[in-house]
Amino acid sequence: MTLTMSRPSAPAGARRGGALTGTGTLLRFMLRRDRVRLPAWTLGIALLMAYFVTALRTVLATPEDLRGMAGFSGSPIGALFGGPGYGYDALTIERFLAGQYGLYILVGAGLMSVLTVTRHTRAEERSGRAELVRAGVVGRHAQLTAALTLTTLMNALVALLIAGLMSGSGFDGAGSLLFGAAVGAAGLAFAGVTAISAQLFEYPRAASGLAGAVLGAAFVLRGIGDMAATHGSWLSWLSPIGWSQQTAAYVLDRWWPLGLSVAFAAVTAALGYLLSARRDLAAGLVPPRPGPATAAPWLRSGAALAFRLQRAQLIGWSLALLVAGLSYGLFTQPVIDGFADAPKELLAVMGGEEDMLAGFLGLMGLMMAFTVAVFAVLSLQGLRAEETEGRTEPVLATAVGRTGWLAANLAVTALGVLWLLFVAGLAMGVGAALSTGDAGLLGELVAGHVAHTPAVWLVLAVAALLYGALPRALPLVWLIVVYGMIVGFFAPILHIPDSAVNLSPFEHIGEYPLEDVSVPATLALTALAVLVAGAALAAFRRRDIICT
Amino acid sequence: MTTSPVAGASVPAIDISDLRKNYGSVTALDGLDLQVARGEVHGFLGPNGAGKSTTIRILLGLLRADSGRAAVLGGDPWADAVALHRRLAYVPGDVELWPNLTGGQAIDLLARLRGGADPARRDELCERFDLDPTKKGRTYSKGNRQKVALIAALASDVELLLLDEPTAGLDPLMEAVFQTCIREAKAAGRTVLLSSHILAQVEALADRISIVRKGRIVESGTLTDLRHLTRTSVAAVTDRPAGELAALPGVHDVRADGVQVRFEVDGEHLPAVMRRLGELDVHSLTANPPTLEQLLLRHYGDELARANGNGEVA
């Protein structure tokens, strides 16, 4: 009936439309596109929290365990990687979960928002799809509005899931609801930030990169603030992550800091709308920076190109390992104190009670070896992507030989492995020396890390062989890394037989300083790596290049 | 260079015989033969999937042929790849660039990997093709990526250019620049293998043409040679009725409308038909040589009929 009644005026009214026309349709379309991504993100964050709950309940089973944790987490290092430390004088599991591990859930929600908003705004414009959409009956602000609505829905879902999970785990209902809301509010704040950054740059990666940098700055600001004073200082209050943590769920249960988050989200989103009205579709407010018109003189060989293509990754990994190494290193003393009365199984992984320090440092070296092995595999996968995306073809059509091309790439990665293990050992060593006051640890840690190089080289060589012979099978190399991790970390707990343990290339060199470095193993692994790499080159020489 | 056999000017630039290549159960090349002489611009025509790119990639040593023989500048493209690549340049049909390198960096890199290029020539080509070399690879449109590869190839001092549909995505103005550059390359004594389905381009540039279909060469020769195999379209206004022409050998599709007559005539019968037409007191005459579209239609007519008006020849 209404339809019939309004029909005479419909043409004029419907034709005019507003800046928001089409928002609903776009939102439904985004939900359809994200039908896998949306549950993956929201459930993923909830599952991470569920994991924390289960793990901490196992590790911190007794009040004594909790008291031991409180001392460790209340330290400045604990505050940097945890939070302002509300309620640590009478620590409970839920206070510890919200106060120490909640930080990573907040960061997760922030990342989810940054990537979701970018995906549905700037990435759409960059791909040209937004042009098609905007040519339809769609208002100027519909896309941004629909993207922000979607992100708000996702954050609300995360908030509800976390709240439900926590109260379902038997924790206080009101506190659980507040904790969930704090997670959602942090997510909203970074959706607002991304609404601005998406207007600035033409490239999705630049837009999400800037928003990600703001997220990182928010993390660091509240970290410094929380280290400066118990319950945080004024610096903590400059960070959207800080606001969520200042709700002090399960302790003070105050809601008002979330008002700051919501206001921040509203103001940033409004600014995003304002900026988007001042630019053309697909253009950025910051014009793209031109690069050099000519290549640097050194960029003139296959090896130089291999280095140039891996340079950004090498710098990024170096920085990440530097930060990770330093922070793990700085944890050395608190960890040893904190775990002094941990369960026997946990101690066994670290090398036993007698030599906790050497055990912890040796284990860290092994962990860094796995991390650098991930770098090695990713770099080979990058090489495969170069080929499948059609960039290897023009290079091999020049006077660059196949063998030389693959050898150069492997050499760059192999040297990168050595360099990254050195950086990780150095950072770990500096941190551990500062933490324990024992300067001798610096040299031990550098040696202990670098010693793992041949094992990682063997992983790299196997990856190269798969790439050279059967590129589609390249992901199989992850099996070695994962198997090595399981054996390396859990062999004592899982009672894995020695014969199975010895299958892992990471188990032969020795976890220095707990164990001695085995020279025969080092030589044998290096020789094996060289042999396998040689086979990889021979196989690559014989196969067809993948052409699109 | 040490592994490269003698490469005197007497050796053909490209010499392929009975080349075969399968991808699983799919036959890409089915006994392909191709000869390209030194200094000629050779048009390599065929629809998508006919085997043009596969042939060129075998000539580059990127793919290995299952059987048959292929020689590039007198060398074996698989065994002597590096030595040969110093003497040739390649432009793929779908150029991908490194997202973080600028166009200028990519040009320099590709040219240097081939053995170096003249910087002045490179800058001149950038200007002629109207390319901004300071933009990052990920920001270029398809046409601009194509220009990067073209400039890198044309700036190099090489004997052979292997161009696989090199101007896809270029606008007509740039197409004209490209044609000038190819003529200059020919004048400089370079050999060009130009794979294309832009028929006007091949018509304008190629000395000889090979038409490939389903992995085999179905026709090869100069444009003139091939035109002999086809029909000329004639339209004439005559004083006397011209319906009788239909009875002559080699004449097809006669449509007489009063004084006007249109028909098609096979190349070999053209002289006789023209003499007869002259006797009918011609007032006006238009004769159109066959276009390459018609050449292709002859070879792919069956497929086109099946495509049902899709009109896409290549």
Side-chain angles (χ1 to χ4, degrees), chain A residues 203 291-293 295-296 393 544, chain B residues 21 90 98 102 108 112 122 134 139:
Chain A
Y203 303 102
E393 189 186 337
D544 284 351
Chain B
K21 174 78 180 172
Y90 165 56
W98 296 277
T102 63
D108 285 351
R112 285 174 191 169
R122 163 202 188 277
T134 66
T139 73

Side-chain angles (χ1 to χ4, degrees), chain A residues 145-173:
Chain A
T145 310
L148 288 175
T149 311
L150 173 73
T151 313
T152 308
L153 281 175
M154 287 171 83
N155 279 300
L157 200 58
V158 169
L160 286 175
L161 283 170
I162 299 266
L165 171 80
M166 294 300 275
S167 63
S169 305
F171 305 134
D172 174 56

Side-chain angles (χ1 to χ4, degrees), chain A residues 126 203 205, chain B residues 97-101 136-140 145:
Chain A
R126 179 62 201 155
Y203 303 102
R205 273 178 63 180
Chain B
L97 296 177
W98 296 277
N100 296 323
L101 297 187
K136 292 274 169 69
R138 59 166 173 260
T139 73
Y140 282 124
R145 292 201 302 270

Side-chain angles (χ1 to χ4, degrees), chain B residues 16-61:
Chain B
I16 298 175
S17 59
D18 200 27
L19 202 61
R20 290 171 196 278
K21 174 78 180 172
N22 295 309
Y23 296 109
S25 61
V26 182
T27 303
L29 297 182
D30 186 18
L32 185 122
D33 300 283
L34 179 69
Q35 274 77 36
V36 178
R38 293 284 181 133
E40 78 174 13
V41 176
H42 196 102
F44 196 32
L45 272 174
N48 290 333
K52 303 192 296 292
S53 296
T54 302
T55 307
I56 290 180
R57 282 163 176 158
I58 289 175
L59 292 177
L60 285 163

Side-chain angles (χ1 to χ4, degrees), chain A residues 287-357:
Chain A
R289 219 158 20 115
T294 56
W298 58 267
L299 191 58
R300 56 184 324 114
S301 66
L305 176 62
F307 170 70
R308 178 66 181 77
L309 294 180
Q310 292 198 39
R311 191 174 65 185
Q313 278 88 327
L314 275 171
I315 293 173
W317 275 83
S318 300
L319 290 176
L321 289 180
L322 205 64
V323 172
L326 262 178
S327 34
Y328 285 129
L330 288 170
F331 260 110
T332 308
Q333 197 59 47
V335 164
I336 290 167
D337 297 345
F339 277 73
D341 39 25
K344 277 217 156 25
E345 288 75 15
L346 212 59
L347 286 178
V349 177
M350 310 241 301
E353 297 172 63
E354 321 79 55
D355 215 349
M356 275 283 301
L357 178 66

Side-chain angles (χ1 to χ4, degrees), chain A residues 85-96:
Chain A
Y86 282 102
Y88 280 19
D89 42 350
L91 196 57
T92 60
I93 292 258
E94 62 269 35
R95 285 178 177 181
F96 188 63

